[in-house]
Amino acid sequence: MHYLWLVIKGSFIGISNIIPGVSGGTMAVSFGIYDDVIHAFTHVRKEFKASMHILLPLVAGALIGVAGFSMIIEWLLAEHTLYTAFAFVGLILGGLPILSQSFKESLFETKRKATPVHLVLFAVFFIIVSWMGVADISGSGPETISLGFGPLVALFLVGLVSAAAMVVPGISGSLLMLIMGYYYAVVYTINGFTSNLAAYNLAEMMPFTILLMAFALGMLVGIILISKAIDYFFVNYPSFTYASILGLVMASPVAVIANTDALTDLTTGNALVKLVVALLITLACYVLTFALGNTKDATEEIPEETRA
């Protein structure tokens, strides 16, 4: 049962990475597993068994989320933008009680009190995510991409930066790809690979496969580098790290609503009714995340003496 909860949490994390403005890292924080997942990833050699008990069901859930729900989420965003966006806002906010408690515990364990430095870190990261949410992003850049040394290097770098962003709460990897101008090129590459795979056209599939391998390699390097950096901060500066993450997470609803243009739905008829329904959905998703965040799962297998 512990592993099933991780699969469910992983599916929500996978779904969240599909949507520009929503961060998989934020969902991991909301479910109360973020620091444990970072620890498992960076200590996979030293604590292989315990790390695999966390990472395997989580990755399996994320793949299920991406493969099984991407089309549904796209449809919901297109047809029911307001309700879908507010659902994700509720999912994000539901993790705040757990995150706030972790911040308080980090202060207690390090025998610190909240200082102006904590407030500055909170404000800086809140502003960064809020700006990314409201910034004018045209998505200008290549909508197609061909095989060559330049495109391979570009996709590697895009994969590196976007994967690193996916790990950081509040920063959307897909939104960052939009800012860099490569979101549609990556989508084109993925669609080219899947369509040729379905048609069993191996010759046409090969260039897309090589391009995706460069992107995947960049993602792997990005995740490893940023995970090690974050784990270092959790171990050495836990209260400052939690203060920064609080800023990132609390600004995430701004990014979600802005990037989905959710409030546009309120300009049509029955605005008050729609808003009430949206808020009820937010509340329901808040309760769902809070409940999932308090479930027992395989993260408890991490040895206490090695935790941050």
Side-chain angles (χ1 to χ4, degrees):
M1 192 65 180
H2 291 189
Y3 300 110
L4 177 60
W5 288 126
L6 269 182
V7 171
I8 293 171
K9 293 174 184 180
S11 66
F12 278 102
I13 292 171
I15 292 170
S16 65
N17 276 319
I18 302 169
I19 306 169
V22 184
S23 166
T26 301
M27 295 309 303
V29 170
S30 296
F31 291 138
I33 59 173
Y34 181 76
D35 48 348
D36 289 328
V37 172
I38 292 294
H39 179 96
F41 201 95
T42 55
H43 291 74
V44 69
R45 292 177 64 184
K46 294 180 181 178
E47 302 164 12
F48 182 79
K49 185 177 179 180
S51 295
M52 286 297 101
H53 285 178
I54 294 169
L55 296 177
L56 287 179
L58 202 65
V59 170
L63 292 174
I64 292 170
V66 172
F69 294 94
S70 59
M71 292 183 67
I72 297 173
I73 294 298
E74 287 181 13
W75 178 79
L76 287 171
L77 279 171
E79 300 296 327
H80 305 284
T81 309
L82 178 70
Y83 303 142
T84 307
F86 272 63
F88 276 98
V89 168
L91 290 171
I92 292 168
L93 295 180
L96 284 179
I98 295 174
L99 181 56
S100 299
Q101 184 61 35
S102 297
F103 173 62
K104 293 175 183 176
E105 289 174 358
S106 68
L107 288 173
F108 177 77
E109 291 170 1
T110 55
K111 298 179 181 178
R112 290 178 178 271
K113 292 183 178 180
T115 67
V117 176
H118 292 99
L119 182 59
V120 168
L121 287 170
F122 172 89
V124 166
F125 286 100
F126 183 94
I127 291 169
I128 289 172
V129 174
S130 297
W131 172 81
M132 290 183 69
V134 300
D136 183 16
I137 301 167
S138 62
S140 60
E143 295 192 7
T144 61
I145 193 166
S146 57
L147 185 61
F149 179 75
L152 285 173
V153 173
L155 282 178
F156 173 84
L157 294 175
V158 170
L160 189 152
V161 174
S162 60
M166 289 176 187
V167 176
V168 179
I171 308 295
S172 166
S174 51
L175 176 60
L176 207 56
M177 283 192 285
L178 273 174
I179 294 173
M180 291 186 290
Y182 272 86
Y183 178 78
Y184 295 107
V186 171
V187 171
Y188 166 79
T189 305
I190 294 172
N191 289 340
F193 173 81
T194 54
S195 61
N196 283 292
L197 178 63
Y200 203 66
N201 191 340
L202 299 182
E204 292 292 329
M205 186 180 72
M206 189 57 62
F208 294 109
T209 304
I210 297 172
L211 289 168
L212 280 181
M213 286 176 65
F215 181 72
L217 181 60
M219 290 189 72
L220 180 62
V221 173
I223 290 173
I224 291 173
L225 290 177
I226 198 67
S227 295
K228 287 185 176 296
I230 292 173
D231 189 61
Y232 171 82
F233 285 113
F234 267 126
V235 171
N236 295 282
Y237 309 101
S239 65
F240 295 123
T241 305
Y242 279 116
S244 303
I245 291 175
L246 269 169
L248 291 167
V249 172
M250 289 192 71
S252 293
V254 177
V256 173
I257 293 172
N259 279 284
T260 56
D261 290 325
L263 298 183
T264 304
D265 286 1
L266 296 178
T267 60
T268 58
N270 299 319
L272 181 60
V273 174
K274 290 180 180 178
L275 181 60
V276 170
V277 172
L279 291 175
L280 289 174
I281 291 172
T282 303
L283 179 61
C285 290
Y286 177 99
V287 173
L288 173 63
T289 302
F290 184 78
L292 285 173
N294 284 284
T295 56
K296 294 182 179 181
D297 53 46
T299 58
E300 296 178 355
E301 297 187 19
I302 295 177
E304 279 296 327
E305 63 272 14
T306 65
R307 287 177 183 263

